[in-house]
Amino acid sequence: MEHCILLKYIFFLLTSRNIYKHYKHIIYYISNYLQSIFNGLFMNITITCNQSDFMWRIYLNPDSSAGSVEVARKSPVASWLCAMLYCFGSYILADVLLGGCPLDYFQYNSHILLASAIWYLVFFCPLNLFYKCVAFLPVKLVLVALKEVVRTRKIAAGVHHAHHAYHNGFLIMVIIGYVKGSGVALISNFEQLLRGVWRPETNEILNMSFPTKASLYGAILFTLQEAHLLPVSKSTLICLFTVFMATTKVILTARHSHGSPFVLIESWVCHLLFGSPLGGGEEEHHAAPAPVAPVSPVKTKEEFGEGTRKRKSKKAE
Amino acid sequence: MEHCILLKYIFFLLTSRNIYKHYKHIIYYISNYLQSIFNGLFMNITITCNQSDFMWRIYLNPDSSAGSVEVARKSPVASWLCAMLYCFGSYILADVLLGGCPLDYFQYNSHILLASAIWYLVFFCPLNLFYKCVAFLPVKLVLVALKEVVRTRKIAAGVHHAHHAYHNGFLIMVIIGYVKGSGVALISNFEQLLRGVWRPETNEILNMSFPTKASLYGAILFTLQEAHLLPVSKSTLICLFTVFMATTKVILTARHSHGSPFVLIESWVCHLLFGSPLGGGEEEHHAAPAPVAPVSPVKTKEEFGEGTRKRKSKKAE
Amino acid sequence: MEHCILLKYIFFLLTSRNIYKHYKHIIYYISNYLQSIFNGLFMNITITCNQSDFMWRIYLNPDSSAGSVEVARKSPVASWLCAMLYCFGSYILADVLLGGCPLDYFQYNSHILLASAIWYLVFFCPLNLFYKCVAFLPVKLVLVALKEVVRTRKIAAGVHHAHHAYHNGFLIMVIIGYVKGSGVALISNFEQLLRGVWRPETNEILNMSFPTKASLYGAILFTLQEAHLLPVSKSTLICLFTVFMATTKVILTARHSHGSPFVLIESWVCHLLFGSPLGGGEEEHHAAPAPVAPVSPVKTKEEFGEGTRKRKSKKAE
């Protein structure tokens, strides 16, 4: 969206009004061409980011009872389908929720080819070079930051799309923006099922990790902006939210932390709204506080959940 | 539907033909206004009933390994989503089955707000007042009766809607009517998954409770009526079925019984069609008859299922 | 498709050009009539094949913790729904993936009635005569061959349908063709859930059986043909693929084998593309090779999977 505006603005500055009139068409074509290159690059970066994300999650993921590399060797079709779900899961889920065709996104053959190439490199590159490159911390930080840029744009696009379909469906806007931002995390149970893993005791809605939560809050903010209840323009909001997400995520990744900057605010809001006891930040929000959980089976379940929560929060990045 | 007819009939009686002609428009507007008030009230009652139903099922539900109140405190988003599924699950499922947009119903912001307010009161009302009020037997009986009124209307509307889309798709009419009447019970496995519970050994289609069965029979009756194979008008059928459902359900609730008035008929029909041995009524239909189940693992499974069946039948009310 | 061409060709040969001109309309009606009879017969054979397939899979299926006959007696609705899924699963899944109405196929009342009649005969025929007839080897071989004829036609129709919706969506064509060919096997996890069985550790995409694999390869071939990358006509391809599938499947059935004729080629391709060790054919592709699986829990999981794999490969025929 704002690429177009930016490019048009640049062209507007560069060319005087008169020249613009005469050379309108030429400039229009050049502008379109540049945009398409830029968008193509952007899409490639998006897919690369998603795939690298997929790789980090899957490659040495302890949740898979059989290692993922073995899954990829034994049943390449299942592994490739999972990779596609990781890449395009948010589009698929949003299409399903809006009543569209789930396979709609698969018509873009170049995106599929790029994603498949990255999938192939991740799992079958000699000496495991590709994985080592992308997992190298500086490269990883750049990809993580780019991924958050992409996420913000996807949330904004999702909210806008839902606004187009349902003008007053504020909840629909929030849901579609959320789904677009969180992607495959929301259907992780079914993605795991494809790989033969089934862990029903946890899902991304029960134990939200930082990116999922941030997507939810972002979707709410963009919905408020779309409903003209926030006194900022869309571009400003995209810019601010991108900066916030990228810096937070880069810092969290650099520190190998799975915390969340929302802990304090959430703690207070939950205390006010739901009467949760104030206190230990993350522990307070995720784990059951000892005085509230009276029965012992619940407790053991929680302790079990504690172990999976850590893997979970890693997974849902 | 029949509200309109009723109101128009009243107006027809009250006003003579001549006055009606002159004051047509005024009366039309008044009638519309009254209808909208009536429909609004009705919808509020519907949502309240569904929510109270949700509350009874969820609030102290033994199927949840972690208590639901704890789930609501720890992950309000998951709890709220479950509440919305309980309220609007039948609309969502029917939309999905007819190829529509699953989020379609969420555009009605006022319904969502009302349902959310009730969800909040159920879980976070001080001193648990709201729950105690609604669980008080006389109030509960009124709500139970109202819920059956709503159920019958939803079945009739579902059958009519499917008839509109597929004129000769009798099976489609039955399915949509059934789904509209049974609501979230049919996707209870996935609703449980959202709360981190997974019990694949039972579902509402394997062990149908009284309301689910009644919805199925009701959907078949309304489909026969829509196909002009029943010699009654739609309003009569709605009226009769509502009275039957409401009285049966009120009596069952007052007696804390989970039986079904269909047991005898079903027993005979199953005997004729499927060669099931005649006999012990409910036991015969739900549990495996001893002489038929030869292998011991099946038996233990059944015994296990026996325990869950009781909770199940409570759940699917 | 080719029926029409065939019939028109016959009529073209039988009638000289002049007579054809004059009696155009009469011949057109006769041709249409014959076609409809032929198609009707064909559809009946299709449904019979699917149902008999369903029966072989379900009737004495060891995967069901409760025997299927008991399921059918106790909850006829669940058993009937499973039978319908087996019969029309491929249509439903293809409709869902293309964004259509999942219940669309249920408008053909005659097909539903025929399928229901066969379901009734399978489970409740006196002396179990129907099952014994269809399971008699010569009859079974004929049905198996017919089923492969149907499968090939369904793959071709699926690819054509997807091509109509997305002209350049080659992946979409492959997926729809695959889904049309493999039918309910791809959603077997959810079909099992309906019967109260849940085996997440295996699915048809992780461990593809011969018919599923052949459907995938067939879908790829038909997509290449549709994209004009194969130098053969569609009719020729349908004919060749049908002959290959029918003969292979008949031989496999007669030998009670669950092998696959693709083993050697797959072994080489996997070696080239994914660096899998060459060797023991089927063992190599399905089971985890010993030197690759280092950790012991994976091993035990695999050993468990080994047992279910055999039942699985039987199931997915």
Side-chain angles (χ1 to χ4, degrees):
Chain A
M1 295 300 122
E2 76 269 45
H3 292 319
C4 322
I5 297 156
L6 195 85
L7 280 167
K8 270 173 193 160
Y9 191 65
I10 291 166
F11 280 111
F12 188 77
L13 286 179
L14 286 175
T15 59
S16 85
R17 196 75 191 135
N18 279 349
I19 300 172
Y20 183 71
K21 252 182 192 166
H22 291 106
Y23 294 98
K24 226 190 222 172
H25 291 291
I26 300 163
I27 286 167
Y28 180 74
Y29 287 127
I30 295 172
S31 140
N32 264 1
Y33 185 70
L34 285 178
Q35 272 173 236
S36 70
I37 288 179
F38 197 86
N39 279 336
L41 259 178
F42 190 80
M43 184 46 76
N44 290 5
I45 290 166
T46 310
I47 293 173
T48 317
C49 293
N50 275 332
Q51 274 287 13
S52 60
D53 187 61
F54 159 67
M55 190 180 48
W56 295 323
R57 281 187 237 177
I58 289 290
Y59 190 68
L60 293 169
N61 199 341
D63 82 336
S64 165
S65 53
S68 286
V69 181
E70 278 86 56
V71 168
R73 270 185 219 279
K74 274 194 300 165
S75 47
V77 176
S79 168
W80 180 82
L81 266 180
C82 280
M84 292 303 111
L85 264 187
Y86 266 93
C87 260
F88 310 118
S90 59
Y91 298 98
I92 295 171
L93 195 54
D95 274 336
V96 168
L97 287 180
L98 284 174
C101 164
L103 295 181
D104 205 53
Y105 199 82
F106 286 98
Q107 65 185 299
Y108 303 112
N109 294 313
S110 56
H111 300 172
I112 303 287
L113 274 179
L114 179 61
S116 304
I118 295 171
W119 165 77
Y120 187 80
L121 283 175
V122 167
F123 282 108
F124 306 110
C125 183
L127 297 174
N128 212 356
L129 271 177
F130 191 81
Y131 176 74
K132 282 173 188 158
C133 276
V134 192
F136 180 53
L137 196 63
V139 179
K140 196 175 172 177
L141 288 182
V142 170
L143 285 175
V144 155
L146 280 173
K147 188 164 164 50
E148 296 310 314
V149 175
V150 171
R151 193 194 299 277
T152 311
R153 290 170 58 81
K154 275 163 88 178
I155 296 173
V159 170
H160 186 78
H161 185 191
H163 177 73
H164 193 75
Y166 295 95
H167 274 282
N168 291 310
F170 301 119
L171 185 62
I172 300 180
M173 292 184 215
V174 171
I175 292 176
I176 298 295
Y178 181 35
V179 157
K180 274 285 190 78
S182 306
V184 84
L186 295 177
I187 44 166
S188 56
N189 286 76
F190 295 97
E191 182 270 329
Q192 285 164 13
L193 183 60
L194 209 63
R195 285 181 285 132
V197 181
W198 185 248
R199 296 186 309 158
E201 73 280 357
T202 181
N203 63 55
E204 192 60 30
I205 293 174
L206 266 183
N207 296 318
M208 286 201 273
S209 58
F210 165 66
T212 319
K213 255 181 207 163
S215 297
L216 181 57
Y217 301 149
I220 293 171
L221 283 180
F222 281 106
T223 303
L224 290 177
Q225 197 279 327
E226 200 81 51
H228 303 294
L229 293 171
L230 272 194
V232 288
S233 76
K234 201 172 176 178
S235 322
T236 320
L237 190 59
I238 288 180
C239 186
L240 287 176
F241 198 73
T242 305
V243 169
F244 166 72
M245 286 296 284
T247 48
T248 314
K249 201 68 214 304
V250 164
I251 290 167
L252 288 178
T253 308
R255 280 187 185 172
H256 298 288
S257 154
H258 299 301
S260 151
F262 306 127
V263 168
L264 263 181
I265 301 166
E266 271 171 4
S267 169
W268 272 99
V269 169
C270 284
H271 180 66
L272 283 177
L273 280 181
F274 309 130
S276 321
L278 268 178
E282 199 191 5
E283 275 78 359
E284 185 273 321
H285 194 69
H286 278 291
V292 175
V295 274
S296 60
V298 175
K299 196 69 188 300
T300 54
K301 185 86 187 180
E302 280 309 308
E303 280 161 18
F304 179 63
E306 193 74 7
T308 55
R309 184 176 58 80
K310 277 189 194 123
R311 288 183 297 182
K312 188 79 209 176
S313 59
K314 187 180 244 157
K315 252 204 78 213
E317 282 162 25
Chain B
M1 295 301 123
E2 76 270 42
H3 292 318
C4 322
I5 297 156
L6 195 83
L7 281 168
K8 269 172 193 160
Y9 191 66
I10 292 166
F11 279 112
F12 187 77
L13 286 177
L14 286 176
T15 59
S16 83
R17 194 76 192 134
N18 279 350
I19 299 172
Y20 184 70
K21 251 183 194 164
H22 291 105
Y23 294 98
K24 225 189 222 171
H25 292 293
I26 299 162
I27 288 167
Y28 180 75
Y29 286 128
I30 295 173
S31 141
N32 264 0
Y33 185 69
L34 285 177
Q35 272 174 235
S36 69
I37 288 177
F38 197 87
N39 279 337
L41 259 178
F42 191 80
M43 184 48 76
N44 290 5
I45 291 166
T46 309
I47 293 172
T48 315
C49 294
N50 275 332
Q51 275 286 15
S52 59
D53 186 63
F54 159 67
M55 192 181 45
W56 294 322
R57 280 185 237 180
I58 289 290
Y59 188 70
L60 292 168
N61 200 340
D63 82 336
S64 165
S65 53
S68 286
V69 181
E70 278 86 55
V71 168
R73 269 185 220 280
K74 273 194 301 164
S75 46
V77 176
S79 168
W80 180 83
L81 266 180
C82 280
M84 291 303 112
L85 265 186
Y86 265 93
C87 259
F88 309 118
S90 58
Y91 298 99
I92 294 171
L93 195 54
D95 274 337
V96 168
L97 287 180
L98 284 174
C101 162
L103 295 181
D104 205 53
Y105 199 83
F106 287 98
Q107 65 185 300
Y108 303 113
N109 294 313
S110 56
H111 301 172
I112 303 286
L113 274 179
L114 179 61
S116 304
I118 295 171
W119 165 77
Y120 187 80
L121 283 175
V122 167
F123 282 109
F124 307 111
C125 184
L127 296 174
N128 211 358
L129 271 177
F130 190 80
Y131 176 75
K132 281 172 187 158
C133 277
V134 192
F136 181 54
L137 197 63
V139 179
K140 194 174 173 179
L141 288 182
V142 171
L143 285 175
V144 155
L146 279 174
K147 186 162 165 53
E148 296 310 314
V149 176
V150 172
R151 193 195 299 279
T152 311
R153 291 171 57 82
K154 275 164 87 178
I155 296 173
V159 170
H160 186 77
H161 185 191
H163 177 72
H164 192 77
Y166 296 94
H167 273 284
N168 290 312
F170 300 118
L171 185 62
I172 301 180
M173 292 184 215
V174 172
I175 292 176
I176 298 294
Y178 181 34
V179 157
K180 274 285 189 78
S182 307
V184 85
L186 295 178
I187 43 167
S188 55
N189 285 78
F190 295 96
E191 182 270 329
Q192 285 163 13
L193 184 59
L194 209 63
R195 285 181 286 134
V197 180
W198 185 248
R199 296 185 310 158
E201 73 281 357
T202 181
N203 63 55
E204 193 60 31
I205 292 174
L206 265 183
N207 296 318
M208 287 201 273
S209 60
F210 165 66
T212 320
K213 255 182 207 162
S215 297
L216 181 57
Y217 301 148
I220 292 170
L221 283 180
F222 281 106
T223 303
L224 289 177
Q225 197 279 325
E226 200 82 51
H228 303 295
L229 293 169
L230 273 195
V232 287
S233 76
K234 202 173 176 178
S235 322
T236 319
L237 190 59
I238 288 180
C239 186
L240 289 175
F241 198 74
T242 304
V243 169
F244 166 72
M245 286 293 286
T247 48
T248 315
K249 201 66 215 307
V250 163
I251 291 168
L252 287 178
T253 308
R255 280 187 184 171
H256 297 288
S257 154
H258 299 300
S260 151
F262 305 127
V263 168
L264 263 181
I265 302 166
E266 269 171 6
S267 170
W268 272 100
V269 169
C270 285
H271 181 66
L272 284 177
L273 281 179
F274 310 130
S276 322
L278 268 178
E282 199 194 5
E283 275 78 359
E284 185 274 319
H285 194 71
H286 278 291
V292 175
V295 275
S296 60
V298 175
K299 196 68 187 299
T300 54
K301 185 86 186 182
E302 281 309 309
E303 281 160 19
F304 179 62
E306 194 74 8
T308 56
R309 184 175 60 79
K310 275 185 196 126
R311 288 182 298 181
K312 188 79 210 178
S313 59
K314 188 180 244 157
K315 253 204 75 218
E317 280 162 26
Chain C
M1 296 301 122
E2 76 269 46
H3 292 319
C4 322
I5 297 157
L6 196 84
L7 281 167
K8 270 173 192 158
Y9 192 66
I10 292 166
F11 279 112
F12 188 77
L13 287 177
L14 287 175
T15 59
S16 82
R17 194 78 190 133
N18 279 350
I19 300 170
Y20 183 72
K21 250 182 194 165
H22 291 106
Y23 293 99
K24 226 189 221 172
H25 292 292
I26 299 162
I27 286 167
Y28 180 75
Y29 286 129
I30 295 173
S31 140
N32 265 359
Y33 185 68
L34 285 178
Q35 271 172 237
S36 69
I37 288 179
F38 197 88
N39 280 336
L41 258 179
F42 191 79
M43 184 47 75
N44 290 3
I45 291 167
T46 309
I47 293 172
T48 316
C49 294
N50 277 331
Q51 275 287 14
S52 60
D53 187 62
F54 159 67
M55 191 181 44
W56 294 322
R57 279 187 238 179
I58 288 289
Y59 189 70
L60 293 169
N61 200 340
D63 82 336
S64 166
S65 54
S68 285
V69 181
E70 278 86 57
V71 168
R73 270 185 219 281
K74 274 193 300 164
S75 46
V77 176
S79 168
W80 181 83
L81 265 181
C82 280
M84 292 303 112
L85 264 187
Y86 266 93
C87 260
F88 309 118
S90 59
Y91 298 98
I92 295 171
L93 194 54
D95 273 336
V96 167
L97 287 180
L98 284 173
C101 163
L103 295 181
D104 205 52
Y105 199 82
F106 286 98
Q107 65 185 299
Y108 303 112
N109 294 314
S110 56
H111 301 171
I112 303 286
L113 274 180
L114 179 61
S116 303
I118 296 171
W119 165 77
Y120 186 80
L121 284 175
V122 167
F123 283 109
F124 307 111
C125 184
L127 295 174
N128 211 357
L129 271 177
F130 191 81
Y131 176 74
K132 280 173 187 160
C133 277
V134 192
F136 180 53
L137 196 63
V139 179
K140 195 175 172 178
L141 289 182
V142 171
L143 284 175
V144 156
L146 279 174
K147 188 164 163 49
E148 296 309 314
V149 176
V150 172
R151 193 195 298 277
T152 310
R153 289 171 58 81
K154 274 164 88 178
I155 295 173
V159 170
H160 186 77
H161 186 190
H163 177 72
H164 192 76
Y166 296 94
H167 275 283
N168 291 312
F170 300 119
L171 185 63
I172 300 179
M173 293 184 213
V174 172
I175 292 175
I176 297 295
Y178 181 35
V179 158
K180 274 287 189 78
S182 306
V184 83
L186 295 178
I187 44 167
S188 56
N189 286 76
F190 294 96
E191 182 270 329
Q192 285 164 13
L193 183 59
L194 209 63
R195 285 180 287 133
V197 181
W198 185 247
R199 297 185 308 157
E201 73 280 357
T202 182
N203 63 55
E204 193 59 32
I205 293 174
L206 265 183
N207 297 317
M208 287 201 273
S209 59
F210 165 67
T212 319
K213 255 182 207 162
S215 296
L216 181 57
Y217 301 149
I220 292 171
L221 283 180
F222 281 106
T223 303
L224 290 177
Q225 197 278 327
E226 200 81 52
H228 303 296
L229 293 171
L230 272 195
V232 289
S233 76
K234 201 174 176 177
S235 322
T236 319
L237 190 60
I238 288 180
C239 186
L240 288 176
F241 198 74
T242 305
V243 168
F244 166 72
M245 286 294 285
T247 48
T248 315
K249 201 66 214 305
V250 165
I251 291 167
L252 287 178
T253 308
R255 279 186 185 172
H256 298 289
S257 155
H258 299 301
S260 151
F262 305 127
V263 168
L264 263 180
I265 302 165
E266 270 171 4
S267 169
W268 273 100
V269 169
C270 284
H271 181 65
L272 284 177
L273 281 180
F274 309 131
S276 321
L278 268 178
E282 199 192 4
E283 277 76 0
E284 185 273 321
H285 195 70
H286 277 290
V292 175
V295 274
S296 60
V298 176
K299 198 66 187 298
T300 55
K301 186 84 186 183
E302 282 307 310
E303 280 160 18
F304 178 62
E306 194 74 7
T308 55
R309 185 175 59 79
K310 278 185 193 126
R311 287 182 298 182
K312 187 78 209 180
S313 59
K314 188 179 242 158
K315 252 202 78 217
E317 281 162 24

